[in-house]
Amino acid sequence: QLQLVESGGGLVQPGGSLRLSCAASGFTLDYYVIDWFRQAPGKEREGVSCMRSSGISTSYADSVKGRFTIFRDNAKNTVYLQMNSLKPEDTAVYYCAAYAYGSSCKNPPYWGQGTQVTVSS
């Protein structure tokens, strides 16, 4: 009964901010890592974040580095993606995905349903 539910997407103007939430149930963040992915129409899915092997810090795609950050609330079993200085190129469906710690962020077995982020003036 592992489940992930994204929320917080919407329409935002360029330069604006959004905070996406990924609520996890059926497991705790003590055992699983949650990272973010996105997919724009006609494009391949790309990783937004990836937990480093140390399990302490997160790396980000070059396209979002310095603008997007992940933070966690373990008590709520929720991971957030704070998105600042949004660009039209950030328009995509954003997914959170979970995997056991020690596994690769490239192969998450559990996925949320996605939430649409549209950056447009």
Side-chain angles (χ1 to χ4, degrees):
Q1 292 291 347
L2 283 71
Q3 185 174 331
L4 302 170
V5 179
E6 301 99 332
S7 62
L11 175 65
V12 63
Q13 291 184 308
S17 298
L18 284 175
R19 180 181 293 178
L20 306 183
S21 299
C22 178
S25 61
F27 60 95
T28 73
L29 299 181
D30 290 337
Y31 293 93
Y32 291 88
V33 178
I34 292 179
D35 280 315
W36 290 87
F37 298 79
R38 67 184 184 182
Q39 187 169 21
K43 298 182 66 176
E44 298 287 335
R45 184 189 68 194
E46 64 176 340
V48 173
S49 66
C50 182
M51 177 67 71
R52 294 190 173 100
S53 59
S54 67
I56 297 174
S57 61
T58 296
S59 63
Y60 299 89
D62 289 341
S63 58
V64 308
K65 191 175 299 181
R67 301 187 297 116
F68 292 9
T69 56
I70 286 175
F71 58 98
R72 295 176 288 274
D73 187 335
N74 289 342
K76 296 181 179 179
N77 257 22
T78 299
V79 173
Y80 303 91
L81 180 66
Q82 181 66 46
M83 311 164 66
N84 298 326
S85 301
L86 284 162
K87 305 175 181 179
E89 297 91 324
D90 297 318
T91 296
V93 177
Y94 284 73
Y95 301 88
C96 62
Y99 52 96
Y101 66 85
S103 300
S104 172
C105 65
K106 299 179 180 179
N107 301 291
Y110 307 106
W111 292 81
Q113 83 288 351
T115 185
Q116 176 71 46
V117 173
T118 302
V119 184
S120 176
S121 59

